[in-house]
Amino acid sequence: MLIVLEFLVILGCLLLGTRYGGMGLGVISGIGLLILTFMFGLKPGSPPVGVILTIMAVISCASVLQSAKGLQVMMRYAEKLLRKKPNYITILAPLTTWTLTVLCGTGHVVYTMFPIIYDIAIKKNIRPERPMAVASVASQIGICASPMSVAVVSLVSILASSHGVGKYISMIDILKVAIPASFVGVLMAGLWSLRRGKDLKDDPEFQEKLKDPETKKYIYGDSESTLLNEKLPKEAYIATFIFLLTTAVVVFFGAFENFRPHVMDHGKSIPLSMNLLIQILMLVAGALILMICKVVPRDIPNGAIFKAGMTAIISVFGVAWMADTFFESHFALLKQFLESVVATKPWTYAIALFLVSKLVNSQAAAIASIAPMGISLGVDPKIIVAFLPAAYGYFILPTYPSDLACIGFDRSGTTHIGKFIINHSFIVPGLIGVGTSCFLGYFLAQLAFP
């Protein structure tokens, strides 16, 4: 009975935390930790310090890059591609936002792309919901395929700390499954979106809006949103080069362990762990961009990436610590109950990850909570890698900032939240994208880790 009450405490804290959003999820988890410790007498678990430090290093580098306007460089090239092939916007838009997320490690780049995607679609009389909703979904699916994302970095750290449980899983092992699986998932979601909803000329609700000249002017706009006219300094291009080069170096060291520096540990010479290597390289890249590209240090904490990253750190800290306290205290009982289920039905791990992701609204926090439990229960690490896209489950309800921003940027009103809440514009593209990614990821993992 006590274990049920303790679980309800955790669930209650997660639900309450999502109401406040942002840092609320992490700090309210502290209330749950206090109740579990003081009232139920559970021994506090271990906060994921290694994961948190790695996230901090990645966020610091990405934040400096944003202040140097390196993100704008990548988004300008993305816009050029979209405007060159406007008729294919429903396919190219999600592939573009997915690619930007893979390169930058954050889905927040999509905010700048929304007005551009809308402008191209509406000028071609393409229903804006078609490219915009799937572009929002794709920007989040790309997180599981980015070597710079908090979620992937967290999983690398978790798998590295559990080395000895099955085959060693490196970053390149994760990416060679996650990149093709998520790419195909995004592509399938885009193909489905080609014919979603009514064409604008056949949509009576949209046509009714056009009868009002002011509304029509508002929908179509007087000028186009573009980054192409913005002049960027050469330092922005240098910053982009440094960041992408560092990303390539991280992937290289992840693929070729023997090239890493060797350090002495308990009298043995071992390769430096990827966890520490990522931290070092990200700090160095951030330092080079800061010194070479004329970045104003006081501007760095004001960027969207820094704020979102620090929020993610607090969420991971609180949620993972609270979850670890519960799972460690009842490990023997939970293992006995869940081990056979997970062993015979590995997809149940994906469902658990998916549901927790919705509760915490964060892929990194979901992975930090569920992946260590899965490893402790004996889940094959290749299954954990295969179902990594299931960490994106927060599209089920349209409460995530990028989805809400997408609705706001669509002045035509075609991207919407339905009368029953659940029937919103993101639900089907999300299910197709995540479902296809997990399905393909499972088979790719079998091939990658025979």
Side-chain angles (χ1 to χ4, degrees), residues 335-349 379:
K335 184 174 183 181
Q336 181 182 357
F337 177 71
L338 295 174
E339 195 169 30
S340 60
V341 176
V342 175
T344 57
K345 301 178 179 65
W347 48 266
T348 55
Y349 169 82
V379 177

Side-chain angles (χ1 to χ4, degrees), residues 269-313:
S269 178
I270 61 172
L272 187 65
S273 74
M274 277 304 298
N275 197 14
L276 294 176
L277 194 58
I278 291 171
Q279 294 174 22
I280 294 170
L281 291 174
M282 287 296 101
L283 291 175
V284 169
L288 290 175
I289 295 172
L290 178 68
M291 293 186 294
I292 296 173
C293 302
K294 301 179 181 177
V295 176
V296 180
R298 67 173 177 271
D299 292 341
I300 297 172
N302 298 323
I305 290 179
F306 183 88
K307 292 176 182 177
M310 291 302 108
T311 298
I313 288 173

